[in-house]
Amino acid sequence: MRTKIKTILASDALDYTVTVKGWVRSFRNNQFIALNDGSCVSNLQVVIKLETDTAIVQKIASGTAIEATGTIVASLGKGQKLELNADTINILGECDNEVYPLQLKNRPSLEFLREIAHLRFRTNTFGAIFRVRHSLAFAIHQFFNEKGFVYLHTPIITASDAEGAGEMFRVTTLPPLQAPVNDKNEVDYNEDFFGRATNLTVSGQLEAELGAMALGEVYTFGPTFRAENSNTARHLAEFWMIEPEVAFADITDNMNLAEEFIKYLIKYALEHNAEDLALLDQRLADEMKTKPANERSEMGLLEKLRFVSENDFERITYTEAIDILRNSNHYKKKKFKYDVAWGTDLQSEHERYLVEKHFQKPVIVRDYPKDIKSFYMRMNEDGKTVAAMDILAPGIGEIVGGSQREERLDKLEQRMAEMNIPVDELYWYLDLRRFGTAPHAGFGLGFERMVLFVTGMSNIRDVIPFPRTPRNAEF
Protein backbone atom coordinates (compact mmCIF):
# COMPACT_ATOMS: atom_id res chain seq x y z
CA MET A 1 0.00 0.00 0.00
CA ARG A 2 1.39 3.37 -1.03
CA THR A 3 2.15 6.02 1.60
CA LYS A 4 2.39 9.64 0.46
CA ILE A 5 5.63 11.49 1.07
CA LYS A 6 3.76 14.35 2.70
CA THR A 7 2.42 11.95 5.33
CA ILE A 8 5.86 10.49 6.01
CA LEU A 9 7.56 13.88 6.38
CA ALA A 10 4.81 15.21 8.65
CA SER A 11 5.55 12.49 11.21
CA ASP A 12 8.53 11.92 13.50
CA ALA A 13 7.92 8.17 13.57
CA LEU A 14 10.88 5.93 12.70
CA ASP A 15 11.62 2.25 12.12
CA TYR A 16 8.50 1.31 10.19
CA THR A 17 8.09 -0.16 6.72
CA VAL A 18 6.48 1.81 3.88
CA THR A 19 6.05 1.74 0.13
CA VAL A 20 6.42 5.00 -1.75
CA LYS A 21 5.87 5.78 -5.41
CA GLY A 22 6.95 8.89 -7.25
CA TRP A 23 9.28 10.53 -9.74
CA VAL A 24 13.03 10.86 -9.36
CA ARG A 25 14.16 14.46 -9.02
CA SER A 26 17.85 13.59 -8.77
CA PHE A 27 20.09 10.54 -8.37
CA ARG A 28 23.53 10.90 -6.73
CA ASN A 29 26.41 8.49 -6.45
CA ASN A 30 24.28 5.61 -7.71
CA GLN A 31 22.77 5.44 -4.22
CA PHE A 32 20.78 8.53 -3.18
CA ILE A 33 17.44 9.27 -4.84
CA ALA A 34 15.49 12.48 -4.25
CA LEU A 35 11.92 11.29 -4.76
CA ASN A 36 8.83 13.46 -5.16
CA ASP A 37 5.24 12.25 -5.53
CA GLY A 38 3.48 15.61 -5.92
CA SER A 39 1.93 15.60 -2.44
CA CYS A 40 4.26 18.37 -1.21
CA VAL A 41 7.26 20.48 -2.18
CA SER A 42 9.79 18.41 -0.24
CA ASN A 43 11.48 15.31 -1.60
CA LEU A 44 12.06 12.10 0.31
CA GLN A 45 15.61 10.78 0.21
CA VAL A 46 15.60 7.12 -0.79
CA VAL A 47 18.83 5.22 -0.13
CA ILE A 48 19.25 2.14 -2.27
CA LYS A 49 21.44 -0.81 -1.34
CA LEU A 50 24.85 -1.08 -2.97
CA GLU A 51 24.01 -4.58 -4.11
CA THR A 52 20.90 -3.41 -6.00
CA ASP A 53 20.65 -4.96 -9.46
CA THR A 54 22.83 -2.96 -11.87
CA ALA A 55 20.16 -3.20 -14.57
CA ILE A 56 17.74 -1.34 -12.28
CA VAL A 57 20.29 1.27 -11.18
CA GLN A 58 21.10 2.10 -14.81
CA LYS A 59 17.43 2.94 -15.45
CA ILE A 60 17.19 5.43 -12.58
CA ALA A 61 17.43 9.04 -13.79
CA SER A 62 15.63 12.36 -13.41
CA GLY A 63 12.00 11.84 -14.34
CA THR A 64 11.93 8.06 -13.83
CA ALA A 65 8.85 6.77 -12.02
CA ILE A 66 9.74 4.25 -9.32
CA GLU A 67 8.33 2.25 -6.45
CA ALA A 68 10.47 1.81 -3.33
CA THR A 69 9.76 -0.30 -0.26
CA GLY A 70 11.86 -0.14 2.88
CA THR A 71 12.30 1.28 6.38
CA ILE A 72 12.01 4.90 7.51
CA VAL A 73 15.11 5.81 9.54
CA ALA A 74 16.76 8.94 10.90
CA SER A 75 18.91 10.59 8.26
CA LEU A 76 22.60 11.16 8.82
CA GLY A 77 22.81 13.62 5.93
CA LYS A 78 22.06 17.33 5.85
CA GLY A 79 18.75 18.75 4.65
CA GLN A 80 16.39 16.01 5.84
CA LYS A 81 15.43 14.56 9.21
CA LEU A 82 14.60 11.10 7.89
CA GLU A 83 15.05 8.92 4.84
CA LEU A 84 13.95 5.61 3.38
CA ASN A 85 16.36 2.71 3.38
CA ALA A 86 15.03 0.81 0.38
CA ASP A 87 14.95 -2.98 0.38
CA THR A 88 13.39 -3.14 -3.09
CA ILE A 89 13.26 -0.76 -6.05
CA ASN A 90 10.92 -1.25 -9.01
CA ILE A 91 11.00 0.83 -12.18
CA LEU A 92 7.44 1.88 -13.05
CA GLY A 93 8.27 4.13 -15.98
CA GLU A 94 11.61 4.86 -17.61
CA CYS A 95 12.61 8.39 -18.65
CA ASP A 96 14.88 9.20 -21.59
CA ASN A 97 17.23 11.57 -19.79
CA GLU A 98 18.96 12.70 -22.98
CA VAL A 99 15.83 14.53 -24.16
CA TYR A 100 13.95 15.06 -20.87
CA PRO A 101 13.54 18.86 -20.70
CA LEU A 102 13.37 19.19 -16.89
CA GLN A 103 17.00 18.71 -15.93
CA LEU A 104 17.66 20.45 -12.62
CA LYS A 105 20.99 21.82 -13.88
CA ASN A 106 19.26 23.66 -16.72
CA ARG A 107 16.82 25.75 -14.62
CA PRO A 108 14.25 26.24 -17.40
CA SER A 109 12.62 29.65 -17.64
CA LEU A 110 8.91 30.26 -17.07
CA GLU A 111 8.56 31.10 -20.76
CA PHE A 112 10.05 27.75 -21.76
CA LEU A 113 7.87 25.90 -19.25
CA ARG A 114 4.73 27.40 -20.82
CA GLU A 115 5.77 25.65 -24.03
CA ILE A 116 5.86 22.32 -22.20
CA ALA A 117 2.82 22.86 -20.00
CA HIS A 118 2.18 19.12 -20.02
CA LEU A 119 5.37 18.63 -17.98
CA ARG A 120 5.72 21.81 -15.94
CA PHE A 121 3.62 20.38 -13.08
CA ARG A 122 6.71 18.37 -12.14
CA THR A 123 8.73 21.43 -11.16
CA ASN A 124 8.70 22.72 -7.59
CA THR A 125 7.29 26.08 -8.61
CA PHE A 126 4.34 24.73 -10.55
CA GLY A 127 3.69 21.96 -8.07
CA ALA A 128 3.33 24.66 -5.41
CA ILE A 129 1.17 26.89 -7.64
CA PHE A 130 -1.34 24.17 -8.45
CA ARG A 131 -1.58 22.89 -4.90
CA VAL A 132 -2.38 26.47 -3.87
CA ARG A 133 -4.92 26.71 -6.69
CA HIS A 134 -6.59 23.54 -5.43
CA SER A 135 -6.76 24.89 -1.88
CA LEU A 136 -8.28 28.17 -3.03
CA ALA A 137 -10.91 26.33 -5.08
CA PHE A 138 -11.81 24.19 -2.07
CA ALA A 139 -11.91 27.24 0.21
CA ILE A 140 -14.32 29.01 -2.16
CA HIS A 141 -16.88 26.24 -1.79
CA GLN A 142 -16.28 26.00 1.94
CA PHE A 143 -16.74 29.75 2.47
CA PHE A 144 -20.08 29.90 0.68
CA ASN A 145 -21.31 26.62 2.12
CA GLU A 146 -20.64 27.90 5.65
CA LYS A 147 -22.70 30.99 4.84
CA GLY A 148 -25.64 29.01 3.48
CA PHE A 149 -25.20 29.88 -0.21
CA VAL A 150 -26.49 27.53 -2.91
CA TYR A 151 -24.00 26.49 -5.60
CA LEU A 152 -25.69 27.17 -8.93
CA HIS A 153 -24.48 25.79 -12.26
CA THR A 154 -25.17 28.48 -14.83
CA PRO A 155 -25.02 27.71 -18.58
CA ILE A 156 -21.78 27.72 -20.53
CA ILE A 157 -23.70 28.07 -23.80
CA THR A 158 -25.76 31.26 -23.88
CA ALA A 159 -27.63 33.53 -26.27
CA SER A 160 -26.93 36.69 -24.24
CA ASP A 161 -23.86 38.84 -23.67
CA ALA A 162 -24.17 39.67 -19.98
CA GLU A 163 -21.76 42.57 -19.94
CA GLY A 164 -21.62 43.83 -23.49
CA ALA A 165 -18.08 42.56 -23.10
CA GLY A 166 -17.21 42.43 -26.75
CA GLU A 167 -16.08 39.46 -28.79
CA MET A 168 -17.54 36.09 -27.82
CA PHE A 169 -16.83 32.60 -29.05
CA ARG A 170 -19.58 31.39 -31.38
CA VAL A 171 -21.17 27.98 -30.77
CA THR A 172 -22.57 26.42 -33.93
CA THR A 173 -23.06 23.16 -35.80
CA LEU A 174 -23.51 24.92 -39.16
CA PRO A 175 -20.97 23.96 -41.83
CA PRO A 176 -18.35 26.74 -41.95
CA LEU A 177 -18.13 26.90 -45.75
CA GLN A 178 -21.78 26.31 -46.63
CA ALA A 179 -23.77 27.96 -43.86
CA PRO A 180 -27.42 28.65 -44.85
CA VAL A 181 -28.35 32.29 -45.43
CA ASN A 182 -31.66 34.16 -45.13
CA ASP A 183 -33.22 36.66 -47.53
CA LYS A 184 -30.89 39.36 -46.16
CA ASN A 185 -27.90 37.23 -47.14
CA GLU A 186 -27.02 36.75 -43.46
CA VAL A 187 -26.29 33.43 -41.77
CA ASP A 188 -29.64 31.81 -40.98
CA TYR A 189 -29.29 30.60 -37.42
CA ASN A 190 -32.79 29.16 -37.54
CA GLU A 191 -31.04 26.21 -39.15
CA ASP A 192 -28.51 25.94 -36.32
CA PHE A 193 -28.64 23.45 -33.44
CA PHE A 194 -30.34 25.85 -31.01
CA GLY A 195 -32.33 27.69 -33.68
CA ARG A 196 -30.56 30.97 -32.86
CA ALA A 197 -27.07 32.44 -32.53
CA THR A 198 -25.33 31.19 -29.38
CA ASN A 199 -21.96 31.77 -27.74
CA LEU A 200 -19.74 30.63 -24.93
CA THR A 201 -20.60 32.60 -21.82
CA VAL A 202 -18.64 35.59 -20.53
CA SER A 203 -20.47 35.51 -17.20
CA GLY A 204 -23.06 33.55 -15.25
CA GLN A 205 -24.29 36.65 -13.45
CA LEU A 206 -27.66 37.21 -15.12
CA GLU A 207 -28.69 33.60 -14.58
CA ALA A 208 -27.35 33.70 -11.01
CA GLU A 209 -29.66 36.64 -10.32
CA LEU A 210 -32.59 34.41 -11.26
CA GLY A 211 -31.47 31.91 -8.62
CA ALA A 212 -30.85 34.54 -5.96
CA MET A 213 -34.34 35.97 -6.32
CA ALA A 214 -35.78 32.63 -5.25
CA LEU A 215 -33.08 30.91 -3.20
CA GLY A 216 -31.78 34.03 -1.48
CA GLU A 217 -28.04 33.51 -1.80
CA VAL A 218 -26.30 31.69 -4.63
CA TYR A 219 -22.86 31.52 -6.19
CA THR A 220 -21.41 30.25 -9.43
CA PHE A 221 -17.90 28.93 -9.99
CA GLY A 222 -17.17 27.92 -13.54
CA PRO A 223 -15.35 28.61 -16.80
CA THR A 224 -15.99 31.77 -18.82
CA PHE A 225 -14.70 32.81 -22.22
CA ARG A 226 -13.72 35.98 -24.07
CA ALA A 227 -12.49 36.16 -27.64
CA GLU A 228 -10.50 39.32 -26.97
CA ASN A 229 -7.36 39.38 -29.07
CA SER A 230 -5.17 40.44 -26.17
CA ASN A 231 -1.74 38.90 -25.68
CA THR A 232 -0.85 40.31 -22.27
CA ALA A 233 0.27 38.87 -18.94
CA ARG A 234 -3.20 39.58 -17.51
CA HIS A 235 -5.56 38.12 -20.13
CA LEU A 236 -6.82 34.65 -20.99
CA ALA A 237 -9.43 33.49 -23.49
CA GLU A 238 -10.67 30.84 -21.04
CA PHE A 239 -10.73 31.53 -17.32
CA TRP A 240 -12.75 30.76 -14.20
CA MET A 241 -15.09 33.11 -12.38
CA ILE A 242 -16.74 33.09 -8.96
CA GLU A 243 -19.97 35.09 -8.97
CA PRO A 244 -22.14 35.31 -5.84
CA GLU A 245 -25.57 36.96 -5.99
CA VAL A 246 -27.41 37.93 -2.83
CA ALA A 247 -31.05 38.95 -2.45
CA PHE A 248 -31.96 41.82 -0.10
CA ALA A 249 -28.38 43.18 -0.23
CA ASP A 250 -27.12 46.66 -1.09
CA ILE A 251 -23.73 47.93 -2.25
CA THR A 252 -22.35 48.08 1.30
CA ASP A 253 -23.37 44.48 1.97
CA ASN A 254 -21.69 43.58 -1.31
CA MET A 255 -18.40 45.26 -0.37
CA ASN A 256 -18.44 43.62 3.06
CA LEU A 257 -18.99 40.16 1.57
CA ALA A 258 -16.26 40.58 -1.05
CA GLU A 259 -13.69 41.79 1.50
CA GLU A 260 -14.53 38.97 3.90
CA PHE A 261 -14.31 36.46 1.04
CA ILE A 262 -10.85 37.57 -0.11
CA LYS A 263 -9.48 37.53 3.43
CA TYR A 264 -10.93 34.06 4.02
CA LEU A 265 -9.23 32.65 0.93
CA ILE A 266 -5.87 34.15 1.84
CA LYS A 267 -6.03 32.87 5.41
CA TYR A 268 -6.98 29.41 4.19
CA ALA A 269 -3.96 29.27 1.88
CA LEU A 270 -1.63 30.56 4.60
CA GLU A 271 -2.85 27.84 6.94
CA HIS A 272 -2.98 24.91 4.52
CA ASN A 273 -0.16 25.71 2.05
CA ALA A 274 2.59 27.03 4.29
CA GLU A 275 5.37 25.05 2.60
CA ASP A 276 4.19 25.91 -0.91
CA LEU A 277 3.91 29.61 -0.10
CA ALA A 278 7.32 29.64 1.59
CA LEU A 279 8.84 28.32 -1.65
CA LEU A 280 6.94 30.89 -3.74
CA ASP A 281 7.95 33.63 -1.31
CA GLN A 282 11.62 32.74 -1.85
CA ARG A 283 11.11 32.52 -5.62
CA LEU A 284 9.66 36.05 -5.63
CA ALA A 285 12.46 37.36 -3.42
CA ASP A 286 15.04 35.94 -5.82
CA GLU A 287 13.20 37.48 -8.77
CA MET A 288 13.12 40.90 -7.07
CA LYS A 289 16.91 40.88 -6.74
CA THR A 290 17.21 40.90 -10.53
CA LYS A 291 14.99 43.99 -10.95
CA PRO A 292 15.87 47.69 -10.68
CA ALA A 293 15.36 49.10 -7.18
CA ASN A 294 12.33 51.17 -8.26
CA GLU A 295 10.53 48.04 -9.51
CA ARG A 296 11.04 45.93 -6.42
CA SER A 297 8.14 45.15 -4.12
CA GLU A 298 8.48 46.55 -0.62
CA MET A 299 6.81 43.45 0.83
CA GLY A 300 7.62 39.80 0.45
CA LEU A 301 4.82 37.46 -0.63
CA LEU A 302 4.04 36.09 2.83
CA GLU A 303 4.25 39.54 4.38
CA LYS A 304 1.84 40.90 1.77
CA LEU A 305 -0.66 38.09 2.25
CA ARG A 306 -0.67 38.50 6.03
CA PHE A 307 -0.99 42.26 5.73
CA VAL A 308 -3.98 42.02 3.38
CA SER A 309 -5.73 39.36 5.46
CA GLU A 310 -5.31 41.27 8.72
CA ASN A 311 -6.15 44.87 7.75
CA ASP A 312 -9.33 46.61 6.63
CA PHE A 313 -9.50 47.57 2.97
CA GLU A 314 -9.58 51.27 2.16
CA ARG A 315 -12.94 52.46 0.75
CA ILE A 316 -13.25 55.50 -1.51
CA THR A 317 -15.56 56.75 -4.23
CA TYR A 318 -14.53 56.93 -7.87
CA THR A 319 -14.63 60.74 -7.62
CA GLU A 320 -12.24 60.64 -4.67
CA ALA A 321 -9.97 58.30 -6.62
CA ILE A 322 -9.83 60.73 -9.55
CA ASP A 323 -9.00 63.61 -7.20
CA ILE A 324 -6.19 61.62 -5.57
CA LEU A 325 -4.70 60.69 -8.93
CA ARG A 326 -4.91 64.21 -10.39
CA ASN A 327 -3.31 65.71 -7.28
CA SER A 328 -0.48 63.18 -7.22
CA ASN A 329 3.10 63.99 -8.15
CA HIS A 330 2.91 61.03 -10.51
CA TYR A 331 0.22 62.83 -12.51
CA LYS A 332 1.86 66.24 -12.28
CA LYS A 333 5.13 64.82 -13.57
CA LYS A 334 3.22 63.08 -16.41
CA LYS A 335 4.32 59.59 -15.39
CA PHE A 336 0.93 58.06 -16.21
CA LYS A 337 0.62 56.70 -19.72
CA TYR A 338 -3.15 57.29 -19.73
CA ASP A 339 -4.90 60.52 -18.84
CA VAL A 340 -6.89 60.89 -15.64
CA ALA A 341 -10.28 62.57 -16.01
CA TRP A 342 -13.70 62.12 -14.43
CA GLY A 343 -15.80 59.91 -16.65
CA THR A 344 -12.97 57.75 -17.97
CA ASP A 345 -12.25 54.24 -16.76
CA LEU A 346 -9.35 53.71 -14.38
CA GLN A 347 -6.44 51.99 -16.10
CA SER A 348 -4.27 49.37 -14.44
CA GLU A 349 -1.53 51.92 -13.79
CA HIS A 350 -4.02 54.16 -11.98
CA GLU A 351 -5.38 51.28 -9.91
CA ARG A 352 -1.92 50.14 -8.89
CA TYR A 353 -0.89 53.67 -7.95
CA LEU A 354 -3.84 53.94 -5.56
CA VAL A 355 -3.07 50.58 -4.01
CA GLU A 356 0.71 50.45 -4.00
CA LYS A 357 1.76 54.09 -3.69
CA HIS A 358 -1.03 56.10 -2.09
CA PHE A 359 -2.83 53.79 0.34
CA GLN A 360 -0.38 50.84 0.33
CA LYS A 361 -3.26 48.45 0.95
CA PRO A 362 -6.21 47.00 -1.00
CA VAL A 363 -8.75 49.61 -2.04
CA ILE A 364 -12.46 49.37 -2.79
CA VAL A 365 -13.59 52.02 -5.27
CA ARG A 366 -17.36 52.60 -5.53
CA ASP A 367 -19.89 54.79 -7.36
CA TYR A 368 -18.53 54.84 -10.90
CA PRO A 369 -19.89 57.01 -13.74
CA LYS A 370 -22.85 55.26 -15.35
CA ASP A 371 -21.44 55.69 -18.86
CA ILE A 372 -18.50 53.35 -18.22
CA LYS A 373 -20.47 50.62 -16.45
CA SER A 374 -22.97 47.94 -17.43
CA PHE A 375 -26.71 48.40 -17.89
CA TYR A 376 -27.74 46.28 -14.90
CA MET A 377 -26.02 48.41 -12.23
CA ARG A 378 -28.30 50.41 -9.93
CA MET A 379 -28.52 54.13 -10.67
CA ASN A 380 -27.53 56.38 -7.79
CA GLU A 381 -29.62 59.34 -6.77
CA ASP A 382 -27.23 61.80 -8.42
CA GLY A 383 -28.24 60.46 -11.84
CA LYS A 384 -24.58 60.36 -12.89
CA THR A 385 -23.14 57.36 -11.09
CA VAL A 386 -24.11 53.76 -10.41
CA ALA A 387 -23.70 51.62 -7.29
CA ALA A 388 -20.71 49.73 -8.66
CA MET A 389 -17.60 48.68 -6.78
CA ASP A 390 -14.18 47.32 -7.72
CA ILE A 391 -11.59 45.87 -5.35
CA LEU A 392 -8.01 46.75 -6.29
CA ALA A 393 -5.16 44.58 -5.02
CA PRO A 394 -1.39 45.19 -4.80
CA GLY A 395 0.59 44.02 -7.81
CA ILE A 396 -2.45 43.20 -9.91
CA GLY A 397 -5.02 46.00 -9.94
CA GLU A 398 -8.68 45.04 -10.22
CA ILE A 399 -9.43 41.64 -8.72
CA VAL A 400 -13.18 41.99 -8.01
CA GLY A 401 -15.90 43.84 -9.88
CA GLY A 402 -19.49 44.05 -8.69
CA SER A 403 -22.53 46.20 -8.03
CA GLN A 404 -25.92 46.52 -6.54
CA ARG A 405 -28.24 45.45 -9.34
CA GLU A 406 -30.96 47.71 -10.70
CA GLU A 407 -34.17 46.24 -9.28
CA ARG A 408 -36.52 49.02 -10.51
CA LEU A 409 -38.17 48.02 -13.78
CA ASP A 410 -38.56 51.53 -15.18
CA LYS A 411 -34.94 52.47 -14.42
CA LEU A 412 -33.63 49.25 -15.92
CA GLU A 413 -35.68 49.63 -19.11
CA GLN A 414 -34.43 53.21 -19.43
CA ARG A 415 -30.80 52.12 -19.11
CA MET A 416 -31.25 49.30 -21.61
CA ALA A 417 -32.77 51.74 -24.11
CA GLU A 418 -29.86 54.15 -23.62
CA MET A 419 -27.34 51.38 -24.23
CA ASN A 420 -29.23 49.66 -27.08
CA ILE A 421 -29.68 46.44 -25.12
CA PRO A 422 -32.45 44.38 -26.81
CA VAL A 423 -35.34 44.20 -24.35
CA ASP A 424 -37.10 41.33 -26.10
CA GLU A 425 -34.10 39.00 -25.79
CA LEU A 426 -33.85 39.64 -22.04
CA TYR A 427 -37.55 39.44 -21.20
CA TRP A 428 -36.75 36.82 -18.58
CA TYR A 429 -34.31 39.19 -16.86
CA LEU A 430 -36.93 41.94 -16.79
CA ASP A 431 -39.48 39.50 -15.37
CA LEU A 432 -37.47 39.52 -12.14
CA ARG A 433 -38.42 43.18 -11.81
CA ARG A 434 -42.08 42.48 -12.62
CA PHE A 435 -42.68 39.59 -10.25
CA GLY A 436 -41.60 40.32 -6.69
CA THR A 437 -38.61 42.57 -7.29
CA ALA A 438 -36.22 43.22 -4.42
CA PRO A 439 -32.84 44.90 -3.87
CA HIS A 440 -29.96 42.53 -4.62
CA ALA A 441 -26.25 42.68 -5.30
CA GLY A 442 -23.34 40.57 -6.44
CA PHE A 443 -19.78 40.56 -7.71
CA GLY A 444 -17.34 38.58 -9.82
CA LEU A 445 -13.91 37.41 -8.72
CA GLY A 446 -11.55 36.25 -11.43
CA PHE A 447 -10.16 33.02 -10.00
CA GLU A 448 -6.88 33.16 -11.91
CA ARG A 449 -6.27 36.71 -10.70
CA MET A 450 -6.82 35.52 -7.15
CA VAL A 451 -4.37 32.67 -7.65
CA LEU A 452 -1.94 35.15 -9.23
CA PHE A 453 -2.18 37.38 -6.17
CA VAL A 454 -1.75 34.57 -3.62
CA THR A 455 1.17 32.89 -5.41
CA GLY A 456 3.04 36.08 -6.31
CA MET A 457 3.36 35.10 -9.96
CA SER A 458 3.39 37.88 -12.55
CA ASN A 459 1.89 36.16 -15.61
CA ILE A 460 -1.65 34.79 -15.52
CA ARG A 461 -0.64 31.98 -17.90
CA ASP A 462 1.38 30.48 -15.07
CA VAL A 463 -1.57 29.94 -12.71
CA ILE A 464 -3.92 27.99 -14.99
CA PRO A 465 -2.95 24.45 -16.03
CA PHE A 466 -3.38 24.90 -19.78
CA PRO A 467 -3.66 28.56 -20.82
CA ARG A 468 -5.85 29.49 -23.77
CA THR A 469 -4.63 32.64 -25.47
CA PRO A 470 -4.64 34.03 -29.03
CA ARG A 471 -3.14 31.43 -31.38
CA ASN A 472 -2.57 29.01 -28.53
CA ALA A 473 -4.87 26.07 -27.72
CA GLU A 474 -2.27 23.36 -27.24
CA PHE A 475 -2.55 20.42 -24.84
Side-chain angles (χ1 to χ4, degrees):
M1 181 178 177
R2 175 194 171 206
T3 301
K4 290 188 177 182
I5 291 174
K6 180 179 181 180
T7 303
I8 295 170
L9 297 180
S11 171
D12 292 324
L14 297 173
D15 301 319
Y16 64 98
T17 300
V18 295
T19 295
V20 294
K21 299 178 183 182
W23 296 270
V24 175
R25 287 290 174 84
S26 65
F27 185 35
R28 297 182 294 110
N29 302 330
N30 281 348
Q31 189 175 18
F32 302 102
I33 299 171
L35 192 70
N36 191 282
D37 65 0
S39 62
C40 60
V41 168
S42 298
N43 304 320
L44 174 66
Q45 177 158 288
V46 177
V47 183
I48 68 174
K49 293 182 176 181
L50 293 176
E51 60 268 25
T52 301
D53 188 339
T54 303
I56 291 178
V57 174
Q58 290 177 343
K59 293 179 181 179
I60 300 174
S62 296
T64 304
I66 69 167
E67 173 188 64
T69 299
T71 305
I72 295 296
V73 299
S75 178
L76 299 178
K78 295 181 180 180
Q80 65 272 333
K81 63 180 181 180
L82 49 80
E83 61 192 21
L84 175 66
N85 276 349
D87 295 316
T88 62
I89 296 285
N90 292 319
I91 304 297
L92 302 179
E94 295 181 37
C95 182
D96 186 345
N97 227 231
E98 291 187 5
V99 295
Y100 185 53
L102 296 180
Q103 304 291 343
L104 291 179
K105 59 186 179 183
N106 292 339
R107 289 283 183 183
S109 67
L110 294 176
E111 290 80 5
F112 173 71
L113 289 172
R114 287 179 209 126
E115 297 175 6
I116 55 166
H118 57 306
L119 295 174
R120 65 178 180 169
F121 300 106
R122 298 190 187 186
T123 65
N124 280 341
T125 295
F126 284 94
I129 289 169
F130 291 112
R131 281 189 293 268
V132 171
R133 181 181 172 108
H134 158 77
S135 289
L136 292 174
F138 182 85
I140 287 164
H141 290 296
Q142 183 166 286
F143 174 83
F144 287 117
N145 189 60
E146 289 174 356
K147 286 188 164 294
F149 279 64
V150 174
Y151 179 30
L152 196 68
H153 295 133
T154 52
I156 291 176
I157 298 174
T158 179
S160 65
D161 179 356
E163 303 180 7
E167 294 296 323
M168 301 175 72
F169 288 104
R170 181 68 41 84
V171 175
T172 181
T173 58
L174 295 176
L177 299 179
Q178 295 178 326
V181 296
N182 56 26
D183 54 9
K184 296 181 181 178
N185 206 32
E186 299 170 338
V187 174
D188 185 1
Y189 288 104
N190 289 317
E191 301 293 321
D192 207 351
F193 186 90
F194 293 104
R196 62 188 303 179
T198 53
N199 311 286
L200 295 178
T201 186
V202 298
S203 169
Q205 177 207 315
L206 301 189
E207 292 87 354
E209 285 187 53
L210 307 182
M213 295 303 285
L215 301 171
E217 298 165 323
V218 305
Y219 73 103
T220 76
F221 182 13
T224 51
F225 310 84
R226 288 190 181 172
E228 181 181 354
N229 189 18
S230 184
N231 242 322
T232 78
R234 300 178 67 221
H235 289 88
L236 292 166
E238 176 185 88
F239 52 98
W240 287 66
M241 287 287 291
I242 304 100
E243 297 175 291
E245 289 291 329
V246 184
F248 315 115
D250 61 17
I251 187 66
T252 300
D253 298 322
N254 204 32
M255 293 189 291
N256 292 342
L257 178 67
E259 180 173 343
E260 181 186 1
F261 179 45
I262 288 174
K263 289 180 176 179
Y264 183 98
L265 297 183
I266 293 172
K267 290 176 181 177
Y268 188 94
L270 286 169
E271 179 181 352
H272 292 86
N273 295 85
E275 186 185 30
D276 294 316
L277 291 176
L279 180 139
L280 294 169
D281 180 58
Q282 185 59 54
R283 187 209 70 83
L284 184 61
D286 292 341
E287 182 182 278
M288 286 297 117
K289 293 176 184 177
T290 66
K291 293 190 174 185
N294 63 336
E295 294 182 16
R296 295 175 188 171
S297 173
E298 296 180 5
M299 285 187 180
L301 176 61
L302 290 171
E303 185 183 6
K304 178 188 72 172
L305 293 177
R306 293 190 185 103
F307 179 81
V308 170
S309 67
E310 294 168 2
N311 289 279
D312 292 338
F313 294 5
E314 193 70 33
R315 300 188 182 191
I316 60 174
T317 65
Y318 167 88
T319 300
E320 290 169 336
I322 293 297
D323 289 341
I324 290 169
L325 292 168
R326 289 183 66 86
N327 289 324
S328 69
N329 287 331
H330 220 68
Y331 178 79
K332 293 174 181 176
K333 293 179 179 180
K334 299 183 178 180
K335 291 186 177 181
F336 288 129
K337 179 180 178 181
Y338 297 94
D339 192 22
V340 179
W342 200 97
T344 60
D345 210 353
L346 296 178
Q347 300 296 319
S348 178
E349 61 176 346
H350 306 143
E351 295 169 343
R352 293 188 62 176
Y353 177 86
L354 292 169
V355 171
E356 298 167 24
K357 302 296 184 184
H358 189 82
F359 289 109
Q360 297 184 326
K361 62 195 302 189
V363 177
I364 305 180
V365 181
R366 59 173 292 177
D367 299 334
Y368 282 79
K370 66 176 184 178
D371 293 336
I372 60 172
K373 288 296 181 180
S374 299
F375 73 93
Y376 51 73
M377 298 185 176
R378 194 180 200 275
M379 184 71 67
N380 288 327
E381 296 305 314
D382 61 13
K384 298 188 302 180
T385 62
V386 290
M389 68 92 182
D390 289 341
I391 296 183
L392 316 179
I396 198 169
E398 182 189 336
I399 194 170
V400 164
S403 71
Q404 183 173 343
R405 314 312 190 188
E406 182 57 82
E407 85 280 10
R408 299 164 295 186
L409 179 61
D410 58 336
K411 299 287 187 182
L412 183 58
E413 289 179 327
Q414 180 181 338
R415 285 286 289 150
M416 292 177 74
E418 291 173 359
M419 301 180 70
N420 297 315
I421 305 294
V423 173
D424 55 339
E425 291 185 11
L426 289 175
Y427 72 91
W428 47 271
Y429 189 67
L430 293 169
D431 275 354
L432 285 186
R433 281 74 181 169
R434 296 188 180 100
F435 308 134
T437 190
H440 58 290
F443 62 83
L445 168 66
F447 184 48
E448 279 73 30
R449 290 199 177 186
M450 188 68 203
V451 180
L452 203 67
F453 179 70
V454 174
T455 60
M457 302 302 290
S458 57
N459 193 313
I460 203 163
R461 303 175 194 201
D462 294 330
V463 297
I464 190 169
F466 305 105
R468 296 293 181 251
T469 54
R471 306 188 70 81
N472 177 34
E474 203 166 359
F475 311 114

